[in-house]
Amino acid sequence: MRSDGVVFASPVYSFQVSGHMKAFLDRLGFAFHRPRFHGKAWTSIVVEGLYGGRDVGKYLDFVGGALGFSVARGSRIVCRKNPDTAQEPMLDKERRKMDEVLARHSRRFHDQLKSPRFPEPTMLQLFGFRMARTSIKLELADDRPDHAYYSDHGWFDSDYFYPTKLGLLKRAAGAAFDRMAARSSKPREHHRAER
Ligand SMILES: Cc1cc2nc3c(=O)[nH]c(=O)nc-3n(C[C@H](O)[C@H](O)[C@H](O)COP(=O)(O)O)c2cc1C
């Protein structure tokens, strides 16, 4: 919480992040419902032997966005080891490539750290926020943690997670997303009747 930016790094194990990283992300799972890292930068590094790193990198960067971070696209390092000993040092060619990839990546992350902390949301981000906040407002009782969190942050009345100036198109789209979410929500009375 005290950092301006974070780097999440993991080897690729069985086409996924490592078990340790997954356990850590699961521990943070509540923050997908109650995001808290807006205004902070995220990036990721995955290290693969052969295959799967691209998807794992996409997964990690998606996780960063879902937690509220501004994401600087991560990088993928290839490190082929001797399959028998798993102890060969990296090949020179791989090391050179890694240095290049990480030099470009450092610049991306630096640019992200220097860019405005609270940019205008993309249409997709706006959609996600409005759908979530409207369904939480209509579906959950006031004392449920997600409802209380959104209410405490003023998110039932705000344009987005943080103060931002929306253009005309996004204002209209935001209102339409709220209406869409209201139509597809099950009102609280419905839940009570089901119990
Ligand atoms: C249990 C295990 C599963 C792995 N699965 C994959 C995989 O699915 N795809 C891949 O490209 N490399 C895979 N690897 C190779 C590692 O991603 C690669 O060797 C990496 O450099 C390991 O980092 P580490 O030395 O920090 O564990 C696997 C390695 C281990 C030990």
Side-chain angles (χ1 to χ4, degrees):
M1 290 304 293
R2 286 198 298 269
S3 301
D4 296 322
V6 295
V7 183
F8 272 51
S10 174
V12 176
Y13 285 172
S14 311
F15 314 109
Q16 247 302 343
V17 292
S18 68
H20 284 98
M21 175 62 87
K22 186 60 169 50
F24 183 52
L25 295 178
D26 290 350
R27 180 64 187 81
L28 270 177
F30 68 95
F32 295 123
H33 287 247
R34 304 190 282 283
R36 60 203 59 213
F37 299 107
H38 302 107
K40 297 173 182 298
W42 163 289
T43 199
S44 67
I45 301 175
V46 300
V47 183
E48 70 174 5
L50 198 63
Y51 179 79
R54 216 176 286 277
D55 286 344
V56 175
K58 275 191 199 152
Y59 164 72
L60 269 183
D61 286 348
F62 176 83
V63 164
L67 291 170
F69 287 97
S70 298
V71 178
R73 186 172 50 78
S75 60
R76 178 176 57 101
I77 308 296
V78 181
C79 176
R80 261 181 266 278
K81 291 184 178 172
N82 181 319
D84 296 325
T85 65
Q87 286 191 344
E88 290 291 308
M90 273 178 103
L91 304 171
D92 281 349
K93 198 176 106 205
E94 286 175 354
R95 188 170 293 281
R96 272 198 304 277
K97 175 87 181 147
M98 175 177 77
D99 290 346
E100 283 168 25
V101 165
L102 289 181
R104 280 199 300 273
H105 188 182
S106 307
R107 280 193 288 275
R108 276 203 304 282
F109 192 45
H110 184 244
D111 289 347
Q112 183 65 64
L113 284 164
K114 282 197 321 186
S115 66
R117 289 183 64 200
F118 299 111
E120 187 181 346
T122 64
M123 201 56 108
L124 192 64
Q125 287 171 327
L126 189 64
F127 175 79
F129 171 74
R130 296 298 181 95
M131 294 300 282
R133 73 99 175 263
T134 302
S135 62
I136 286 171
K137 184 176 179 180
L138 298 178
E139 293 194 2
L140 297 183
D142 302 2
D143 59 350
R144 296 292 295 273
D146 291 355
H147 192 290
Y149 189 81
Y150 270 65
S151 171
D152 289 351
H153 283 78
W155 288 345
F156 291 138
D157 303 309
S158 64
D159 285 336
Y160 191 57
F161 288 115
Y162 48 74
T164 178
K165 236 183 145 36
L166 296 180
L168 205 60
L169 179 67
K170 282 186 181 152
R171 276 215 300 277
F177 298 150
D178 282 333
R179 284 195 298 274
M180 266 169 73
R183 272 201 303 277
S184 61
S185 294
K186 290 183 182 170
R188 291 183 217 175
E189 288 68 28
H190 179 88
H191 290 289
R192 273 196 215 108
E194 274 183 349
R195 264 188 234 137

